[in-house]
Amino acid sequence: AVVSTQSTGMVTLLHGLLVTAISALLHFYLGPAPWHNFGQANSPIHNLVLLLSLGYFLFDFAWCCYKGSEGIAMLTHHVVSLLGLSYAIFLHQYGSEVTAVCFGAEITNPILQFRWFLREHNQYHTTVGVINDFLFVFSFLFWRFGVGSYFLYQSLITDKIDWVVRAGGISLYLISIVFMYSIGKFFIRKYILRMKKKQE
């Protein structure tokens, strides 16, 4: 049987929750913070997150290619992610850096999947849907361009990271800008322009 969109959404949600929870435990509780741990060997927890994410991205990349529903930005994101995860697993190094990036990328995924759930149950155009949209946009901005910008800067000025990891970080940051452009257009069109029309 062909995998359904609903099943794929559940896989995405489960991966996002697992990776976010484990990475948060790793970086914010067990420590050290990833920008103080550049170039170190992977721990077993790093490898767990890396392998979970590698399996997920292989599955989702195959699904995206099968459905043909995603653009070049998303496909490029998946290819860069697969290469980065594989590189960290193969070298048994840079697990702290790559799992930190996984955390920043996946923490907004459950919010995005909840948006899909609301749409499926005709609850998207409600107060809950509005709150979810605002939460997603501001979480994306905070983690990708607030914390993410600082993390990228730290990774570029250290001498403990090789050029492959730096190139991967820059690539994902540029892809995030493309995503933010699309998100910004949606947000302006749905909320700002619509509010102006109502006021007129």
Side-chain angles (χ1 to χ4, degrees), residues 33-48:
W35 44 81
H36 298 309
N37 200 35
F38 288 131
Q40 300 300 308
N42 299 351
S43 71
I45 302 180
H46 287 138
N47 286 331
L48 173 62

Side-chain angles (χ1 to χ4, degrees), residues 125-138:
H125 299 289
T126 63
T127 302
V128 175
V130 172
I131 292 170
N132 192 70
D133 279 348
F134 273 78
L135 186 60
F136 173 74
V137 171
F138 289 106

